[in-house]
Amino acid sequence: MDALGLARLQFATTTSFHFLFVLLTLGLVTSVAVMQTRATLSADPVHARMARFWGRLYVVNYALGIATGIVMEFQFGLNWSGLSTFAGDVFGAPLALETLVAFFLESTFLGLWIFGWDRMPKWAHLALIWLVALTAFASAFWIMVANAFLQHPAGHELRDGVLRLVDFSALLTNPTFGAAFLHVCFASLTVGGVFLTGVSAYHFIRRTAEVDFFRRSLRLGVVLTALATPPLVGFGFGQFPIVERYQPEKFGTVGAADGAGLGFMIQIGFALLLVSWVTVPLLARDLVVRMRFPLYLMVLGIPLPFVAAIGGWLFREVGRQPWLVQGVLTTRDAMSHVGADQVLVSFVAFTSVFAVLAVADWVLIARLARRGPVDSDEAPVSPLVPAL
Amino acid sequence: MQGVWVALLAFLTCGYFALAGFDYGVGALLRVVGRDERSRRAVLRAVTPFFLGNEVWLVAAVGVLFGAFPRLEGELLSSQHTVFAVLLAGLVCFTVAVQLRSSGWDFLLVGGALVVAVGWGVLLGRVLGGPVWLWGAGMAVVFWLHGAVFLAWRLSGELRARATRIAGVLVLPGAGFAVAAVVTAGSVPRPAFGVTAVLALASLGGVRVALRAGRHRVAFGCSAVLCALPVVGVFGARSVVTASVMADVSSLRVLTWAAVVVVPLVLVFQWATWRMSRAAR
């Protein structure tokens, strides 16, 4: 494989790994914020315990996901310096806004939230988790603004051989931005809902003693999935006319990878929509728990929304080839002047490190999830979360 | 407008070196200061509240580099492809090893921290035209020193004494590095660079005096300045940042609004984290 092919493969691999972490982070932080709000309003200690347990899973996933995010960010300059040289004035602006407005603030808020357990007034601590959630979605907002520019460049002009920003608001009103952003938001909420449901179902299969704790978690998961999937599917299909209008060749050039990705995504989306709405009435008097066999399906369903998201992302990105910025800059021209062996070394290094990282993340989260809620004075599993 | 962004980039990069510097130092010293599992846990517990807050300075700095200096970003990163790849792999290993620590895998934690420290040194050496081995070793010493001073401040008893001893031993090699870096500097204008070295020697003196007097916070301030000084050197001594590599004013204007709001907020909240950890100690 030549340097270009390797660099593309590396980008796809890095982004896919990163995307897995991001989805769970967004889905879980919203759920934790809801739990903590109920904990603040109600006297029942179960809500605070829920926020603690699910919050711990969230923090582990976030902290490990940062590692993939850092590599993601460097990768633009390492392998695609043509992109920053030619389009950096326009494409770089939302990316810089993401790191400053969203990520920099988010991590700072989160650091204080982790450390502030039991040390802060509870309303201030509650405000912090909502700020974390808000900045997390702001991250998605700016990343999708940047991505929409690659799909359908707007708000720029060509001056002295490089693109210059002339109309910032055109970046935000980009037709390939709005629906796609909302689609990603609801996808992450679906991931969160399915994850809550699956982990809670696992504990019911094992006949947990924490019935109230996991009944509430399971309900929240099912309701979240049921609420998130209709707009998820809606904003998904809502994008077809937009793609048809601005990137008609995307449907024409569908290959094996992105075509299969699109198909999986649509099927999984519909399945989750149907199943979650069938499950909602079964929540009454815990029928779904007593029937037992749905619990096994819930556990098996945990990976599905992740698969769907990767599939959808492949379709959005692969379908644009050979363009990096549609109609303006080809992927080949954007490639840095680096040799194939250099790209190969970094590809092998990052991919192996990420594979270990992803496995470690899942093992650790599975271990924490399996252990269930424990009292906080037990030894922390992860030193980053000693306060949780 | 452009001056503001050069200053902001310098500020974020200095912040990263001064804050994450002690993460890497503590990481590399983990098994030197912590002789048994109990004390190693105490060492890590001292850093972990700040870990997230420290690492994000790098993300913010690179974000600003991309948004405001797009042509410098592409040029710098792609020309140092392999160094960055190794450095990032070390950074990922270090971050993960701190997270998922189990004592059998400490070589990843210590090794990752070392790779990052040496990697930044190599990069600085290449940008400034000095000998790469000197900068690699020198930055490792500087980060070790910073980590040791941090531990001397945050720990107590025998661990504090050990960290203080290590910091004391590292002051002299640090001074040697500062002098050697100026003497061997390539095309860099000596006067500007000399000032940085004088400041480095002053900070090293400050570390030594403050540690002897038991003024740990002052010592930490001095070693933080020491970590940030090479960055100041790059910005002061080399005109790497010129208008031609920067984004157009129309892009900078948009970013300026964000920076004006966010940077003070980050400073306030990170300060609050430090304050709270003091109260909790």
Side-chain angles (χ1 to χ4, degrees):
Chain A
M1 200 181 275
D2 62 346
L4 179 66
L6 279 170
R8 281 185 60 196
L9 191 62
Q10 174 164 11
F11 195 87
T13 316
T14 314
T15 317
S16 301
F17 275 119
H18 183 58
F19 202 23
L20 296 178
F21 285 93
V22 169
L23 285 167
L24 188 59
T25 291
L26 286 172
L28 275 180
V29 73
T30 316
S31 314
V32 172
V34 169
M35 291 167 190
Q36 199 176 336
T37 307
R38 294 172 77 179
T40 313
L41 293 172
S42 124
D44 192 342
V46 72
H47 298 295
R49 293 182 68 224
M50 278 167 70
R52 211 176 260 272
F53 171 72
W54 296 104
R56 195 199 295 251
L57 300 185
Y58 156 67
V59 168
V60 168
N61 187 64
Y62 183 90
L64 293 181
I66 283 190
T68 63
I70 292 177
V71 175
M72 200 53 234
E73 196 189 20
F74 273 88
Q75 196 174 196
F76 287 112
L78 287 173
N79 289 347
W80 307 105
S81 60
L83 176 66
S84 48
T85 305
F86 179 68
D89 278 45
V90 194
F91 178 74
L95 222 59
L97 286 172
E98 191 267 339
T99 52
L100 278 179
V101 180
F103 188 68
F104 200 23
L105 266 180
E106 182 189 1
S107 291
T108 302
F109 288 144
L110 181 61
L112 194 56
W113 180 77
I114 295 172
F115 206 59
W117 272 108
D118 304 327
R119 296 200 180 105
M120 286 175 77
K122 64 179 184 179
W123 285 99
H125 195 237
L126 175 66
L128 270 179
I129 190 69
W130 279 107
L131 284 171
V132 174
L134 195 72
T135 44
F137 280 98
S139 248
F141 180 93
W142 291 115
I143 288 301
M144 292 307 290
V145 168
N147 181 274
F149 175 79
L150 304 181
Q151 310 290 340
H152 174 63
H156 64 87
E157 68 175 22
L158 189 63
R159 216 189 304 151
D160 312 326
V162 296
L163 299 187
R164 299 290 190 189
L165 183 67
V166 285
D167 182 10
F168 182 69
S169 61
L171 292 181
L172 304 180
T173 53
N174 191 327
T176 58
F177 163 62
F181 166 62
L182 291 170
H183 185 62
V184 168
C185 289
F186 285 108
S188 65
L189 293 179
T190 307
V191 166
V194 172
F195 183 77
L196 288 182
T197 311
V199 172
S200 308
Y202 171 82
H203 282 275
F204 279 118
I205 291 174
R206 293 217 323 190
R207 304 197 183 275
T208 174
E210 296 273 0
V211 175
D212 186 40
F213 184 100
F214 284 111
R215 181 203 285 128
R216 286 175 188 277
S217 302
L218 185 118
R219 279 171 182 240
L220 182 61
V222 171
V223 171
L224 186 60
T225 313
L227 290 179
T229 40
L232 167 74
V233 172
F235 285 117
F237 279 105
Q239 287 177 71
F240 278 116
I242 299 170
V243 175
E244 213 143 340
R245 176 150 175 218
Y246 295 98
Q247 299 173 298
E249 66 285 355
K250 246 188 196 176
F251 293 112
T253 58
V254 162
D258 47 337
L262 180 68
F264 272 131
M265 175 184 70
I266 293 174
Q267 285 165 17
I268 291 172
F270 271 117
L272 289 175
L273 172 71
L274 273 174
V275 170
S276 61
W277 278 100
V278 168
T279 314
V280 167
L282 296 179
L283 289 176
R285 286 189 287 160
D286 295 331
L287 276 174
V288 74
V289 177
R290 282 192 243 162
M291 283 160 68
R292 290 198 72 78
F293 82 87
L295 298 175
Y296 293 91
L297 296 182
M298 288 168 173
V299 176
L300 291 176
I302 293 177
L304 289 182
F306 290 103
V307 174
I310 298 293
W313 177 75
L314 277 179
F315 175 70
R316 187 171 169 94
E317 298 302 299
V318 177
R320 196 171 66 243
Q321 293 306 317
W323 298 108
L324 203 168
V325 187
Q326 181 89 34
V328 180
L329 179 70
T330 61
T331 313
R332 183 172 293 280
D333 289 339
M335 172 89 197
S336 302
H337 298 287
V338 288
D341 46 344
Q342 274 177 300
V343 183
L344 184 65
V345 167
S346 65
F347 174 62
V348 171
F350 289 144
T351 307
S352 45
V353 170
F354 280 176
V356 174
L357 182 65
V359 171
D361 184 50
W362 296 326
V363 168
L364 184 64
I365 285 183
R367 198 163 64 185
L368 282 170
R370 210 162 42 219
R371 202 175 59 170
V374 287
D375 291 326
S376 53
D377 51 346
E378 249 183 59
V381 172
S382 161
L384 197 85
V385 284
L388 282 176
Chain B
M1 179 79 89
Q2 273 141 344
V4 172
W5 281 91
V6 176
L8 184 64
L9 180 64
F11 175 69
L12 291 172
T13 317
C14 285
Y16 167 66
F17 272 71
L19 289 171
F22 74 76
D23 287 351
Y24 308 136
V26 168
L29 292 173
L30 176 68
R31 293 185 78 98
V32 184
V33 176
R35 298 272 165 87
D36 54 41
E37 190 51 33
R38 219 181 109 100
S39 51
R40 274 174 222 141
R41 283 205 184 148
V43 167
L44 280 177
R45 256 204 312 278
V47 207
T48 42
F50 311 107
F51 201 78
L52 269 183
N54 294 344
E55 301 290 312
V56 290
W57 285 75
L58 174 64
V59 181
V62 178
V64 165
L65 188 63
F66 200 135
F69 305 84
R71 276 155 288 279
L72 176 63
E73 197 255 6
E75 181 71 22
L76 178 68
L77 267 66
S78 63
S79 67
Q80 308 291 339
H81 196 279
T82 306
V83 183
F84 271 112
V86 173
L87 193 158
L88 286 176
L91 188 62
V92 173
C93 283
F94 174 64
T95 311
V96 177
V98 170
Q99 271 293 296
L100 313 176
R101 201 180 96 78
S102 64
S103 43
W105 292 82
D106 272 351
F107 71 94
L108 273 182
L109 201 160
V110 176
L114 268 177
V115 166
V116 177
V118 174
W120 283 120
V122 169
L123 273 171
L124 286 167
R126 287 206 175 170
V127 171
L128 288 166
V132 165
W133 59 268
L134 173 73
W135 278 88
M139 283 314 288
V141 168
V142 166
F143 284 159
W144 281 339
L145 177 67
H146 195 28
V149 172
F150 174 79
L151 289 177
W153 172 31
R154 308 294 295 194
L155 296 174
S156 53
E158 194 199 338
L159 292 177
R160 167 177 277 178
R162 202 176 292 153
T164 311
R165 267 203 308 281
I166 294 170
V169 170
L170 288 169
V171 167
L172 210 58
F177 165 54
V179 173
V182 175
V183 175
T184 59
S187 55
V188 173
R190 289 258 164 85
F193 209 54
V195 174
T196 322
V198 170
L199 287 175
L201 292 177
S203 331
L204 282 163
V207 169
R208 199 180 169 85
V209 171
L211 276 184
R212 288 232 170 123
R215 304 284 302 269
H216 293 107
R217 279 161 67 185
V218 177
F220 179 74
C222 288
S223 60
V225 169
L226 180 70
C227 286
L229 275 173
V231 181
V232 179
V234 170
F235 277 85
R238 204 146 174 80
S239 54
V240 281
V241 183
T242 57
S244 65
V245 301
M246 292 191 71
D248 196 50
V249 178
S250 58
S251 307
L252 294 181
R253 204 175 294 135
V254 173
L255 296 179
T256 304
W257 282 106
V260 165
V261 176
V262 169
V263 173
L265 265 180
V266 167
L267 291 180
V268 167
F269 276 88
Q270 294 216 344
W271 173 77
T273 312
W274 282 87
R275 266 204 67 108
M276 196 162 322
S277 80
R278 204 176 54 185
R281 213 142 53 91

XYZ file of all heavy atoms in Angstrom, chain A residues 199-249:
414
model
N -26.360 -3.123 30.747
C -25.647 -3.411 31.996
C -26.638 -3.754 33.114
O -26.414 -4.688 33.891
C -24.758 -2.211 32.394
C -24.163 -2.417 33.772
C -23.656 -2.014 31.366
N -27.766 -3.020 33.157
C -28.767 -3.320 34.193
C -29.347 -4.714 33.975
O -29.533 -5.481 34.938
C -29.895 -2.297 34.156
O -29.376 -0.999 34.201
N -29.610 -5.058 32.702
C -30.160 -6.385 32.398
C -29.201 -7.476 32.857
O -29.615 -8.502 33.410
C -30.424 -6.508 30.898
N -27.900 -7.240 32.660
C -26.897 -8.210 33.088
C -27.027 -8.487 34.585
O -26.957 -9.646 35.033
C -25.508 -7.685 32.757
C -24.395 -8.504 33.337
C -23.960 -9.660 32.702
C -23.782 -8.147 34.540
C -22.956 -10.426 33.232
C -22.773 -8.909 35.086
C -22.363 -10.050 34.435
O -21.358 -10.812 34.966
N -27.240 -7.429 35.346
C -27.360 -7.617 36.796
C -28.638 -8.352 37.174
O -28.657 -9.102 38.158
C -27.256 -6.271 37.515
C -25.852 -5.799 37.626
N -25.004 -6.183 38.629
C -25.116 -4.996 36.811
C -23.816 -5.643 38.455
N -23.859 -4.910 37.361
N -29.708 -8.160 36.407
C -30.931 -8.926 36.687
C -30.746 -10.387 36.318
O -31.256 -11.274 36.999
C -32.122 -8.325 35.941
C -32.693 -7.129 36.649
C -32.699 -5.879 36.058
C -33.226 -7.257 37.937
C -33.206 -4.781 36.719
C -33.737 -6.157 38.613
C -33.720 -4.912 37.991
N -29.996 -10.649 35.229
C -29.723 -12.045 34.870
C -28.993 -12.729 36.026
O -29.257 -13.870 36.353
C -28.869 -12.099 33.581
C -29.699 -11.636 32.389
C -28.343 -13.520 33.338
C -28.913 -11.506 31.107
N -28.073 -11.963 36.634
C -27.315 -12.550 37.753
C -28.079 -12.461 39.078
O -27.503 -12.676 40.142
C -25.971 -11.837 37.880
C -25.075 -12.116 36.686
C -23.661 -12.229 37.113
N -23.380 -11.262 38.196
C -22.174 -10.999 38.650
N -21.144 -11.595 38.120
N -21.987 -10.127 39.620
N -29.352 -12.099 39.015
C -30.238 -12.002 40.179
C -29.619 -11.112 41.261
O -29.359 -11.543 42.386
C -30.552 -13.388 40.744
C -31.138 -14.288 39.675
C -31.833 -15.495 40.251
N -32.302 -16.360 39.166
C -33.459 -16.195 38.537
N -34.264 -15.202 38.877
N -33.825 -17.003 37.566
N -29.375 -9.870 40.858
C -28.765 -8.909 41.769
C -29.635 -8.647 42.990
O -30.871 -8.771 42.936
C -28.517 -7.581 41.035
O -28.058 -6.610 41.964
C -29.788 -7.045 40.406
N -28.975 -8.264 44.086
C -29.722 -7.860 45.284
C -30.114 -6.389 45.182
O -31.000 -5.926 45.900
C -28.874 -8.103 46.530
N -29.463 -5.672 44.274
C -29.731 -4.234 44.126
C -30.919 -4.024 43.190
O -30.778 -3.385 42.141
C -28.498 -3.539 43.553
C -27.290 -3.588 44.438
C -27.274 -2.435 45.422
O -28.225 -1.614 45.385
O -26.338 -2.361 46.220
N -32.069 -4.548 43.546
C -33.209 -4.532 42.622
C -33.643 -3.111 42.289
O -33.807 -2.755 41.123
C -34.377 -5.345 43.206
C -35.598 -5.218 42.312
C -33.968 -6.797 43.356
N -33.815 -2.305 43.328
C -34.306 -0.943 43.097
C -33.324 -0.151 42.227
O -33.714 0.535 41.285
C -34.510 -0.245 44.439
C -35.157 1.108 44.269
O -36.078 1.215 43.414
O -34.750 2.064 44.954
N -32.045 -0.290 42.546
C -30.995 0.432 41.825
C -31.045 0.113 40.328
O -31.073 1.013 39.482
C -29.639 0.021 42.410
C -28.456 0.741 41.838
C -27.873 1.799 42.520
C -27.904 0.370 40.617
C -26.786 2.457 41.998
C -26.825 1.024 40.085
C -26.256 2.072 40.783
N -31.077 -1.194 40.003
C -31.013 -1.542 38.590
C -32.369 -1.453 37.905
O -32.431 -1.305 36.690
C -30.358 -2.911 38.405
C -28.873 -2.849 38.589
C -28.265 -3.437 39.689
C -28.086 -2.156 37.688
C -26.894 -3.338 39.871
C -26.716 -2.056 37.866
C -26.117 -2.645 38.961
N -33.451 -1.507 38.674
C -34.750 -1.295 38.038
C -34.827 0.133 37.511
O -35.220 0.386 36.372
C -35.877 -1.539 39.039
C -37.250 -1.350 38.392
C -38.313 -1.047 39.407
N -38.691 -2.221 40.168
C -38.714 -2.257 41.507
N -38.362 -1.182 42.188
N -39.082 -3.339 42.131
N -34.389 1.078 38.361
C -34.420 2.479 37.940
C -33.465 2.735 36.769
O -33.789 3.458 35.834
C -34.027 3.384 39.109
C -35.099 3.513 40.155
C -34.585 4.314 41.338
N -35.517 4.314 42.446
C -36.557 5.136 42.547
N -36.780 6.025 41.596
N -37.360 5.076 43.585
N -32.277 2.113 36.819
C -31.312 2.301 35.740
C -31.859 1.735 34.432
O -31.731 2.353 33.371
C -29.987 1.607 36.071
O -29.468 2.109 37.272
N -32.476 0.549 34.525
C -33.018 -0.087 33.330
C -34.130 0.754 32.722
O -34.192 0.950 31.508
C -33.521 -1.487 33.674
C -33.997 -2.302 32.475
C -33.144 -3.549 32.323
C -35.435 -2.720 32.594
N -35.001 1.274 33.599
C -36.086 2.124 33.100
C -35.542 3.350 32.397
O -35.992 3.697 31.305
C -36.952 2.597 34.272
C -37.924 1.578 34.708
C -38.602 1.998 35.984
N -39.496 0.929 36.363
C -40.809 1.083 36.484
N -41.359 2.261 36.347
N -41.558 0.053 36.783
N -34.578 3.984 33.041
C -34.002 5.182 32.427
C -33.412 4.838 31.061
O -33.603 5.565 30.084
C -32.924 5.763 33.351
C -32.261 7.056 32.864
C -33.279 8.168 32.713
C -31.158 7.495 33.812
N -32.724 3.693 30.994
C -32.111 3.281 29.731
C -33.142 3.044 28.646
O -32.997 3.520 27.518
N -34.196 2.293 28.994
C -35.217 1.979 27.987
C -35.931 3.254 27.536
O -36.126 3.480 26.328
C -36.229 0.960 28.556
C -37.405 0.794 27.596
C -35.563 -0.375 28.803
N -36.287 4.105 28.495
C -37.006 5.337 28.133
C -36.107 6.250 27.290
O -36.551 6.819 26.291
C -37.495 6.065 29.406
C -38.036 7.441 29.066
C -38.556 5.221 30.098
N -34.846 6.334 27.677
C -33.916 7.168 26.904
C -33.799 6.654 25.460
O -33.850 7.435 24.508
C -32.541 7.157 27.590
C -31.463 8.086 27.028
C -31.916 9.533 27.091
C -30.157 7.930 27.803
N -33.674 5.333 25.315
C -33.580 4.764 23.966
C -34.858 5.035 23.183
O -34.810 5.415 22.006
C -33.334 3.243 24.039
O -32.303 2.994 24.983
C -32.931 2.682 22.696
N -35.998 4.839 23.847
C -37.278 5.033 23.152
C -37.460 6.490 22.726
O -38.026 6.766 21.658
C -38.427 4.592 24.047
N -36.989 7.419 23.560
C -37.134 8.831 23.210
C -36.121 9.257 22.144
O -36.414 10.124 21.317
C -36.960 9.707 24.458
C -38.077 9.624 25.495
C -37.753 10.522 26.681
C -39.413 10.032 24.882
N -34.931 8.664 22.185
C -33.870 9.131 21.287
C -33.985 8.529 19.884
O -33.602 9.171 18.908
C -32.492 8.803 21.878
N -34.502 7.282 19.761
C -34.461 6.632 18.450
C -35.373 7.264 17.392
O -34.956 7.341 16.228
C -34.727 5.115 18.553
O -35.762 4.896 19.502
C -33.479 4.380 18.973
N -36.609 7.724 17.714
C -37.401 8.332 16.617
C -36.724 9.543 15.978
O -36.581 9.575 14.744
C -38.723 8.693 17.299
C -38.809 7.812 18.491
C -37.406 7.598 18.942
N -36.241 10.536 16.781
C -35.523 11.629 16.111
C -34.231 11.155 15.457
O -33.818 11.698 14.421
C -35.241 12.632 17.233
C -35.510 11.936 18.501
C -36.440 10.814 18.220
N -33.593 10.143 16.041
C -32.369 9.604 15.428
C -32.640 9.131 14.003
O -31.957 9.527 13.051
C -31.840 8.442 16.272
C -30.765 7.562 15.637
C -29.439 8.296 15.611
C -30.602 6.245 16.386
N -33.674 8.308 13.867
C -34.024 7.783 12.541
C -34.497 8.929 11.643
O -34.133 9.014 10.466
C -35.099 6.691 12.675
C -35.620 6.279 11.307
C -34.528 5.477 13.404
N -35.282 9.840 12.217
C -35.809 10.969 11.440
C -34.695 11.827 10.861
O -34.683 12.115 9.654
N -33.730 12.208 11.705
C -32.637 13.049 11.210
C -31.705 12.269 10.291
O -30.997 12.850 9.480
C -31.848 13.657 12.371
C -32.580 14.782 13.045
C -32.966 14.683 14.366
C -32.901 15.928 12.340
C -33.658 15.703 14.981
C -33.586 16.965 12.954
C -33.967 16.853 14.284
N -31.705 10.944 10.432
C -30.932 10.129 9.501
C -31.525 10.206 8.110
O -30.839 10.559 7.143
N -32.817 9.907 8.009
C -33.453 9.952 6.684
C -33.558 11.371 6.160
O -33.535 11.599 4.950
C -34.826 9.281 6.737
C -34.712 7.789 6.648
C -34.890 6.991 7.764
C -34.386 7.184 5.440
C -34.744 5.620 7.695
C -34.240 5.813 5.357
C -34.421 5.027 6.487
N -33.664 12.335 7.100
C -33.722 13.733 6.688
C -32.491 14.172 5.918
O -32.520 15.178 5.201
N -31.407 13.428 6.066
C -30.172 13.834 5.382
C -30.116 13.354 3.938
O -29.311 13.856 3.158
C -28.956 13.279 6.126
C -28.680 13.992 7.423
C -27.521 13.365 8.140
O -26.380 13.474 7.722
N -27.811 12.664 9.215
N -30.953 12.372 3.591
C -30.872 11.841 2.225
C -31.102 12.896 1.148
O -30.307 12.996 0.206
C -31.824 10.655 2.056
C -31.250 9.366 2.577
C -31.818 8.694 3.626
C -30.084 8.854 2.011
C -31.261 7.521 4.120
C -29.522 7.683 2.488
C -30.116 7.020 3.551
N -32.176 13.721 1.270
C -32.344 14.753 0.231
C -31.178 15.734 0.178
O -30.806 16.208 -0.917
C -33.640 15.480 0.635
C -34.076 14.906 1.922
C -33.297 13.675 2.203
N -30.565 16.005 1.351
C -29.444 16.952 1.377
C -28.242 16.365 0.658
O -27.597 17.028 -0.171
C -29.072 17.297 2.841
C -30.270 17.959 3.528
C -27.862 18.199 2.893
C -30.128 18.120 5.017
N -27.955 15.088 0.955
C -26.831 14.424 0.287
C -27.095 14.356 -1.212
O -26.213 14.614 -2.035
C -26.609 13.017 0.868
C -25.525 12.278 0.083
C -26.220 13.095 2.330
N -28.348 14.031 -1.570
C -28.699 13.899 -2.981
C -28.469 15.221 -3.724
O -28.058 15.248 -4.867
C -30.161 13.493 -3.107
C -30.423 12.616 -4.297
C -31.464 11.558 -3.957
O -31.694 11.261 -2.770
O -32.068 11.052 -4.890
N -28.743 16.325 -3.001
C -28.627 17.615 -3.642
C -27.177 18.085 -3.737
O -26.755 18.592 -4.780
C -29.442 18.635 -2.833
C -29.317 20.018 -3.367
C -30.545 20.862 -3.136
N -30.256 22.207 -3.590
C -30.684 23.289 -2.986
N -31.471 23.183 -1.933
N -30.377 24.470 -3.455
N -26.401 17.912 -2.644
C -25.063 18.486 -2.622
C -23.967 17.489 -2.958
O -22.883 17.888 -3.364
C -24.785 19.120 -1.251
C -25.674 20.299 -0.977
C -26.823 20.172 -0.205
C -25.369 21.545 -1.527
C -27.652 21.255 0.021
C -26.184 22.638 -1.303
C -27.337 22.487 -0.528
O -28.147 23.560 -0.314
N -24.196 16.215 -2.721
C -23.168 15.215 -3.017
C -23.796 14.019 -3.740
O -23.729 12.898 -3.234
C -22.503 14.745 -1.715
C -21.815 15.868 -0.959
C -21.321 15.401 0.386
O -22.086 14.987 1.243
N -20.011 15.441 0.569
N -24.408 14.273 -4.909
C -25.170 13.205 -5.562
C -24.309 11.980 -5.878
O -24.808 10.862 -5.877
C -25.681 13.873 -6.851
C -24.823 15.078 -7.034
C -24.414 15.520 -5.682
N -22.998 12.207 -6.091
C -22.153 11.074 -6.479
C -21.951 10.088 -5.339
O -21.505 8.976 -5.546
C -20.804 11.574 -7.013
C -19.905 12.272 -6.019
C -20.390 13.695 -5.692
O -21.368 14.186 -6.304
O -19.793 14.320 -4.811
